[in-house]
Amino acid sequence: MEINLLAFGQIAEITGKSTWKMTGIKDTNILIKNLEEQFPALVKTNYSIAVNKKVIQENTAITDKDTIALLPPFSGG
């Protein structure tokens, strides 16, 4: 199973890339754990996760070819 990741703003700066692929990720909790192991600076960074363009708030299953976006905090008024 392969998923596509997109990173924006400070998340892309931390990871050093804006797009990449990962395998073996079954849900967003596993994804977060894996990302924080690879990029320890993410532990102290606030960000949201969108699965197939839908921002999620809790653990969500990930299936083959899903697109996951790592979104920095939004600002504005």
Side-chain angles (χ1 to χ4, degrees), residues 6-61:
L6 308 172
F8 298 91
Q10 70 187 57
I11 309 302
E13 291 173 12
I14 290 169
T15 62
K17 46 194 163 187
S18 58
T19 63
W20 71 101
K21 297 182 184 298
M22 291 180 81
T23 58
I25 306 295
K26 296 180 181 180
D27 61 43
T28 52
N29 282 351
I30 293 170
L31 174 66
I32 291 167
K33 182 179 178 207
N34 189 296
L35 289 170
E36 290 179 352
E37 287 173 357
Q38 288 185 50
F39 311 104
L42 287 178
V43 173
K44 297 179 182 178
T45 304
N46 289 327
Y47 61 96
S48 298
I49 295 176
V51 177
N52 298 322
K53 299 183 180 179
K54 181 179 178 186
V55 176
I56 55 108
Q57 301 295 323
E58 55 192 40
N59 190 30
T60 301

